[in-house]
Structure formats: C-alpha cells, structure tokens
C-alpha cells in the first residue's frame, strides 16, 4: 500500500551542487505536483504535471526543473543548489479533478550549506 | 489569484475542549475545499473535504461546512484529544485549472492532557 513515495528523505548539499528528487506513485494518477514547505508559509507549488510527458510552472519555479517521462514518476531537479532552497519538499498526486483530493508523500528534507 | 487565509497559531487547548480553526478563501471559480492534517515528520493527509456550497465534510469528529456566502470553511471539533495535536492546513482546489491547490499557512494545534 505504497501510495506516493519520495526519495531521498534527507539530503545535505553544498551550494552549487546538483541533485534530483524522485517521486513515484502507484495509483495511476494523471496529475502530479511538487511543493515546498517553509516555516509559517504553508505549501507553495513549484511545478506540476497533468500527464505523462507534460510539465508546467507553478508559483515558485525558479531554480528547479522537472520531468515526467513515465506516468508514475515525477522528478524534481536542482541544477545549482542555493541556501534559499533549503526546505522540505513534498510530492503529491491526484487522480480526480472533480474532487481535487491530493495524496502526499512523506517529504524530503533538503539542506543547502 | 486564489488565496486561503487561516487562523494564526499556535493554538493550545486542554483535552476535551472545543476547537475552532477559522479559514476563509478567495477564488474566481467554484473550488473544492479541504482540511489536511500533518503529524510531526509526516506528509499531509486529507482530513475532510467539501466540493460544493453548503456541503459539510466530516471525519474523526472534525467538521467543516462550505459557506459560499461568507467564503469560509471553518474547522470544528467538539472535544479534542491529545492525539489531535498536529498542524492543520486549509486548502482549496481549482478544478478548472489542472487541479492546482492553494494552501493556508497552517495552524499548529497542541492539546494538553
């Protein structure tokens, strides 16, 4: 009963390094999203995808790239990490726009030194 | 654009007290409304939802009613327990815009025995 799985769960980077966060869902959902959560700021949408092979920018896309080569996977990349990208990242998926319910992963805590 | 404003925290209550967390929203369309709960170290999970005006969502003793006239979706529980201690997020989903969700900043609830 996996649902949405994120890897890695923790990562420490130095400024300028690159990394990729992987999100995998086993619910056959069309829609997938990447959010970042910062203290006192709720969740902010970084990028999203409405289906395999599609991606679009959210509220705070700068410094991030994404890919959705397979329906079940949604990758979030940081090409050159900055301290401002220290955050907790959540992936979510949705299979029904009428209800709009999101299913979340457990989060990935990223620290950029 | 869409926005969600929820009561600032933190909120501290004694066990068996009555809980209200206020949430108001602005949206151009007819969004679905949600309350999500986040326990320490975990991702968000759906607590309850309402998809149209006057709908009441309920789960685990929590309730919220979709009030279009006051653009509100206040969360209530008649008798809180220590296990209800968590962060609560109000959110709306624009069903006409790729299901993108907008979140409030979150309210931290601590229930003391």
């Amino acid at each position: 009963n996996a649902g949405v799985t994120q890897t890695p769960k923790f990562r420490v980077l130095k400024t300028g390094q690159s990394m990729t966060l992987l999100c995998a869902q086993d619910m056959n959902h069309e829609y997938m999203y990447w959010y970042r959560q910062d203290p006192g700021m709720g969740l902010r949408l970084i990028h999203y995808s409405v289906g395999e092979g599609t991606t679009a920018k959210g509220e705070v896309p700068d410094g991030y790239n994404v890919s959705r080569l397979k329906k079940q996977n949604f990758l979030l990349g940081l090409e050159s990490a900055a301290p401002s990208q220290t955050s907790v990242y959540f992936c979510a998926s949705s299979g029904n726009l009428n209800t709009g319910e999101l299913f979340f992963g457990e989060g990935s805590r990223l620290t950029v030194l | 654009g869409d926005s969600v404003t929820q009561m600032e925290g933190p909120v501290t209550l004694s066990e068996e007290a009555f809980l209200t967390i206020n949430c108001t929203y602005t949206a151009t369309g007819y969004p679905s409304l949600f309350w999500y709960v986040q326990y320490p170290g975990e991702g968000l999970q759906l607590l309850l939802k309402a998809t149209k005006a006057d709908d009441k969502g309920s789960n685990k003793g929590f309730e919220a009613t979709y009030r279009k006239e006051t653009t509100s979706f206040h969360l209530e529980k008649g008798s809180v327990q220590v296990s209800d201690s968590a962060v609560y997020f109000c959110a709306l989903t624009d069903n006409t815009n790729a299901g993108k969700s907008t979140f409030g900043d979150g309210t931290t609830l601590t229930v003391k025995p």
Side-chain angles (χ1 to χ4, degrees):
Chain A
N1 202 13
V4 179
T5 304
Q6 294 181 226
T7 53
K9 290 186 170 44
F10 301 93
R11 185 74 187 270
V12 178
L13 290 177
K14 295 182 179 178
T15 297
Q17 287 186 317
S18 63
M19 75 159 296
T20 300
L21 297 175
L22 170 63
C23 175
Q25 53 94 4
D26 61 2
M27 297 172 283
N28 202 35
H29 284 172
E30 288 291 338
Y31 309 95
M32 298 187 73
Y33 311 85
W34 275 108
Y35 289 89
R36 60 178 288 173
Q37 182 181 33
D38 301 293
M41 298 184 71
L43 278 75
R44 292 182 291 170
L45 182 64
I46 305 171
H47 285 281
Y48 65 99
S49 169
V50 300
E52 181 179 314
T54 74
T55 63
K57 294 180 180 180
E59 180 185 356
V60 288
D62 293 343
Y64 305 95
N65 56 75
V66 288
S67 64
R68 183 104 181 264
L69 299 179
K70 293 184 178 181
K71 185 177 183 179
Q72 63 268 33
N73 296 336
F74 194 30
L75 279 65
L76 177 71
L78 286 72
E79 292 185 348
S80 179
S84 60
Q85 294 177 304
T86 294
S87 188
V88 180
Y89 293 85
F90 287 99
C91 177
S93 70
S94 176
N96 189 333
L97 280 190
N98 289 329
T99 61
E101 175 184 351
L102 293 175
F103 294 81
F104 284 87
E106 293 184 345
S108 299
R109 181 175 294 276
L110 173 66
T111 301
V112 183
L113 302 175
Chain B
D2 298 341
S3 67
V4 175
T5 303
Q6 64 180 97
M7 186 170 79
E8 289 189 19
V11 174
T12 302
L13 296 173
S14 297
E15 205 164 24
E16 298 184 2
F18 185 87
L19 169 71
T20 299
I21 301 178
N22 290 337
C23 172
T24 57
Y25 68 91
T26 59
T28 53
Y30 300 93
S32 295
L33 301 176
F34 303 84
W35 278 100
Y36 288 90
V37 59
Q38 184 180 31
Y39 298 103
E42 299 184 7
L44 282 71
Q45 56 186 275
L46 179 68
L47 179 61
L48 53 84
K49 66 182 180 186
T51 57
K52 63 183 186 296
D54 299 326
D55 270 2
K56 177 187 283 188
S58 61
N59 186 27
K60 300 181 181 179
F62 291 89
E63 293 183 340
T65 300
Y66 190 143
R67 301 286 188 198
K68 189 178 178 185
E69 63 275 15
T70 55
T71 61
S72 65
F73 194 54
H74 305 320
L75 182 68
E76 297 182 336
K77 187 174 185 182
S79 176
V80 293
Q81 306 300 312
V82 172
S83 57
D84 294 326
S85 298
V87 182
Y88 292 82
F89 291 91
C90 184
L92 67 82
T93 296
D94 182 348
N95 302 334
T96 64
N97 190 9
K100 291 191 291 183
S101 296
T102 301
F103 289 82
D105 290 344
T107 302
T108 300
L109 170 67
T110 301
V111 180
K112 295 186 175 180

